[in-house]
Amino acid sequence: MALIEPGVQIGLRVTIHPFACVHAGCEIGDDCEINPGAFLGKAPKAPGTLLREPRFEPRLVLGPSVLVGPHAVLYY
């Protein structure tokens, strides 16, 4: 079973294998394959102490025909 949060946009002919995790804000294009254990939409975390907090938009876009390998982590 894969975890797909509300707010994820999934294209046509997309394969999402078991144990993949896709967070809200992700857009997956047509003909993509997400392999087991992949983590899409992880929030970035700054190492150590920074003078200013990093800013990011919680959005990840995969174009058509993307293959995400097993246990890959893709950040926003």
Side-chain angles (χ1 to χ4, degrees), residues 1-5 8 10 14-24 26 28 32-42 62 67-74:
M1 171 169 70
L3 169 68
I4 302 172
E5 289 186 346
V8 172
I10 301 174
V14 172
T15 303
I16 300 177
H17 292 276
F19 308 109
C21 181
V22 185
H23 284 276
C26 293
I28 302 172
C32 289
E33 183 173 1
I34 312 301
N35 275 289
F39 195 115
L40 278 62
K42 183 169 176 65
L62 299 180
L67 171 65
V68 178
H71 305 288
V73 177
L74 301 181

Side-chain angles (χ1 to χ4, degrees), residues 30-71:
D30 296 341
D31 301 306
C32 289
E33 183 173 1
I34 312 301
N35 275 289
F39 195 115
L40 278 62
K42 183 169 176 65
K45 181 179 173 187
T49 305
L50 296 177
L51 296 176
R52 60 187 166 102
E53 195 67 26
R55 292 188 181 156
F56 64 92
E57 181 182 348
R59 185 168 180 242
L60 175 69
V61 179
L62 299 180
S65 302
V66 172
L67 171 65
V68 178
H71 305 288

